[in-house]
Amino acid sequence: MVDVSQHKLVPEHTKLDDEAVEDVLQEYNVEKTNLPKIKLKDPALPEDAEPGDVIKIVRNSRTTDKAVVYRLVIE
Amino acid sequence: MTEHDATADYEFVDDAIVDVVESKELSRRLKDRIYQTIEEREGVSFEQAGEIAQAVEARYLDTRVDPLDPVGTVSAQSIGEPGTQMTMNTFHYAGVAEIDVTQGLPRLIELVDARKPPDTPMMTVYLEDEYANNRELAHQVVWNIESTKILALGDISTNVADMVVQINLNDETLLERWPTYDDEGVVASEIAETIEDALGIKTRREGTLIEFGPESPSYRRLLQLVEELRDIVFKGIEEVSRVVIRKENNEDTDEEEFVLYTEGSAFGDALAIEGVDASRSTSNNIHEVHKQLGIEAAREAIIDETMNTLREQGLDDVNIRHLMLVADIMTNDGTIESIGRHGISGSKDSVLARAAFEVTVNHLLDAAIHGEEDDLDGVIENVIVGKPIAIGTGDVDLRMGSLDVEDADANAAPEPSDD
């Protein structure tokens, strides 16, 4: 099986713990469900991710150095 | 992160610095970054801290999108205007490495429509380590990717009198395409087996000569067998009809390497082949990228493909942010959604907005049947009913009057007069 995370198109995906999720939601003043989504079967997801988890994605941005975005894991 | 005392967390940050930083219109994260920077520099003077905070705030406010700025509309205009110029200069194909690829407006439409599969799927396959430098090894990968059919391996002759099909395989070609074998007879027997499995008939083999015919003499069946024989894939990926090998300069290592361009795409199969660099190879089929690498990679691929399409047409002055916004919207729900009736525009909340886009009567009829309501929040529905749209100054209510001097801050703007 190919290691997806090594591909240059795939940014780093990490699972956030509950406390960090709270901080993120508070910073942006949004609900969890307002976040962009990522499917559970997405090959780039960390293995232990479950629906309801928030994934932190650190992209190599085209307009700045790094761009951090969050996606909510859904079925 | 909640409010906390920065002076306690950072050794080189004192109350005066905290005061000046906290007074700036910055997000918590940026303020913390300023403290961290001061900490890393091992302390700066109060004036310097003020200047840093000032510069960060200025840059932040400068790059921030104005409140109520219609970013989507601006993006649509910014991509649409160059699009009108594309219509005039292309509606044909142009080759990259002798492979025909849809370009220009048709390609752009295909991308935002998320059409699958694309008109001209292709892959760019990079090779690993020694495969990238050694022509023979690179060719091994080519034979594993390019679909090999019978016509590439030898001559077929149909003997109608004896009701047999004869295949005269070319020895050299066999050994070239199956480099792991050193006897063409073994390869030929494997080919004979493949034919038997695919056509469900018996074959006779003598050296590299394979012969077979229909079970009972039938002219029609004989021709049918020849037709089917031509479509059998003996080696490689069925979807890939042709592979072009090119020597290119690797930008990272500044060395020459072999790169394969394929006509046809099967991204998942290609990544699994030995010698293929699974960290760089790509496909122009965004759905395959999504399936193999996930939604974030698909987003990157959409941006890359749209930007390249525009660049080929000399329209690269379109700001990348517009394409990023398009890609963000298309991948927002975790799958690739098209922009159009079946995707984004068709899933809008407003009945009137949907009706204004396409198939007006259907939308209005459905809405009437289901008793839908329209909150009139968006642009299109407010244009239709003739109300100001809730964008920019349209969402701000202005009222004229005088300030109550007692409540007003001493620094407030001069009191507006009523005349």
Side-chain angles (χ1 to χ4, degrees), chain B residues 96-98 124-127 129-139 142 243-251 253-261 280:
Chain B
V96 180
E98 303 113 59
T124 307
V125 179
Y126 292 91
L127 302 173
D129 312 324
E130 66 266 36
Y131 289 92
N133 311 316
N134 184 320
R135 187 174 282 273
E136 265 178 37
L137 285 174
H139 267 285
V142 172
V243 177
V244 174
I245 185 164
R246 285 223 307 188
K247 201 161 201 176
E248 283 184 4
N249 205 37
N250 184 338
E251 278 169 24
T253 59
D254 204 32
E255 279 173 33
E256 296 254 287
E257 65 171 345
F258 290 109
V259 181
L260 314 182
Y261 293 89
R280 290 188 292 157

Side-chain angles (χ1 to χ4, degrees), chain B residues 296-360:
Chain B
E296 278 292 319
R299 176 187 171 275
E300 294 290 318
I302 292 172
I303 300 172
D304 286 345
E305 291 288 329
T306 45
M307 198 62 212
N308 287 339
T309 307
L310 291 172
R311 189 176 296 128
E312 301 271 337
Q313 303 283 310
L315 302 171
D316 52 347
D317 46 358
V318 175
N319 196 296
I320 190 91
R321 287 171 181 82
H322 300 309
L323 303 173
M324 288 165 68
L325 183 72
V326 169
D328 273 335
I329 293 295
M330 287 177 72
T331 58
N332 189 50
D333 73 344
T335 56
I336 298 178
E337 254 191 306
S338 67
I339 295 188
R341 181 171 62 212
H342 303 290
I344 312 284
S345 303
S347 57
K348 281 183 181 169
D349 289 335
S350 165
V351 185
L352 293 176
R354 274 182 277 130
F357 185 66
E358 266 177 8
V359 285
T360 310

Side-chain angles (χ1 to χ4, degrees), chain B residues 206-279:
Chain B
E206 203 173 302
T208 55
L209 198 72
I210 300 174
E211 207 180 65
F212 64 85
E215 305 80 6
S216 53
S218 154
Y219 185 62
R220 227 180 103 240
R221 176 80 182 132
L222 185 74
L223 291 183
Q224 198 187 345
L225 284 177
V226 176
E227 280 299 306
E228 287 174 20
L229 176 69
R230 284 172 201 268
D231 289 333
I232 302 173
V233 175
F234 291 95
K235 194 169 183 188
I237 302 170
E238 195 181 346
E239 286 87 351
V240 178
S241 57
R242 206 158 66 89
V243 177
V244 174
I245 185 164
R246 285 223 307 188
K247 201 161 201 176
E248 283 184 4
N249 205 37
N250 184 338
E251 278 169 24
D252 294 334
T253 59
D254 204 32
E255 279 173 33
E256 296 254 287
E257 65 171 345
F258 290 109
V259 181
L260 314 182
Y261 293 89
T262 71
E263 207 171 276
S265 176
F267 195 40
D269 294 343
L271 286 183
I273 288 172
E274 199 194 324
V276 171
D277 187 343
S279 72

Side-chain angles (χ1 to χ4, degrees), chain A residues 23-39:
Chain A
D23 286 344
V24 169
L25 297 182
Q26 204 175 340
E27 184 185 342
Y28 291 101
N29 191 22
V30 290
E31 298 287 319
K32 229 180 186 178
T33 48
N34 296 136
L35 294 172
K37 314 292 186 298
I38 186 166
K39 294 272 185 193

Side-chain angles (χ1 to χ4, degrees), chain B residues 53-252:
Chain B
Q54 183 66 46
V56 172
E57 185 188 45
R59 180 85 184 130
Y60 174 68
L61 294 179
D62 199 34
T63 50
R64 194 171 62 170
V65 174
D66 290 326
L68 303 171
D69 203 22
V71 284
T73 312
V74 172
S75 286
Q77 294 284 345
S78 306
I79 299 169
E81 193 277 335
T84 59
Q85 298 177 37
M86 290 172 105
T87 330
M88 286 186 256
N89 42 34
T90 42
F91 229 99
H92 60 88
Y93 305 105
V96 180
E98 303 113 59
I99 287 179
D100 278 343
V101 196
T102 314
Q103 287 190 323
L105 196 66
R107 176 64 179 152
L108 199 63
I109 294 173
E110 180 177 274
L111 281 164
V112 295
D113 276 355
R115 209 178 301 149
K116 57 178 159 181
D119 207 22
T120 51
M122 71 161 286
M123 291 186 290
T124 307
V125 179
Y126 292 91
L127 302 173
E128 271 179 331
D129 312 324
E130 66 266 36
Y131 289 92
N133 311 316
N134 184 320
R135 187 174 282 273
E136 265 178 37
L137 285 174
H139 267 285
Q140 274 185 33
V141 180
V142 172
W143 302 137
N144 281 327
I145 294 177
E146 187 176 280
S147 63
T148 298
K149 299 201 173 154
I150 200 70
L151 283 177
L153 298 174
D155 304 318
I156 312 176
S157 50
T158 317
N159 186 334
V160 182
D162 299 335
M163 280 288 161
V164 286
V165 182
Q166 281 183 325
I167 309 165
N168 192 358
L169 296 166
N170 185 323
D171 300 4
E172 279 171 33
T173 315
L174 292 191
L175 291 180
E176 188 194 11
R177 300 218 173 194
W178 275 267
T180 43
Y181 295 96
D182 44 14
D183 179 15
E184 61 269 14
V186 183
V187 181
S189 73
E190 217 167 84
I191 290 174
E193 265 175 47
T194 313
I195 295 175
E196 287 186 6
D197 289 347
L199 300 181
I201 40 120
K202 287 263 166 269
T203 60
R204 293 173 295 282
R205 182 179 72 87
E206 203 173 302
T208 55
L209 198 72
I210 300 174
E211 207 180 65
F212 64 85
E215 305 80 6
S216 53
S218 154
Y219 185 62
R220 227 180 103 240
R221 176 80 182 132
L222 185 74
L223 291 183
Q224 198 187 345
L225 284 177
V226 176
E227 280 299 306
E228 287 174 20
L229 176 69
R230 284 172 201 268
D231 289 333
I232 302 173
V233 175
F234 291 95
K235 194 169 183 188
I237 302 170
E238 195 181 346
E239 286 87 351
V240 178
S241 57
R242 206 158 66 89
V243 177
V244 174
I245 185 164
R246 285 223 307 188
K247 201 161 201 176
E248 283 184 4
N249 205 37
N250 184 338
E251 278 169 24
D252 294 334

Side-chain angles (χ1 to χ4, degrees), chain B residues 17-26 31 35 53 57:
Chain B
I17 294 179
V18 170
D19 278 346
V20 69
V21 172
E22 292 299 325
S23 71
K24 301 297 178 197
E25 197 184 327
L26 293 172
K31 287 176 184 170
Y35 295 139
E57 185 188 45

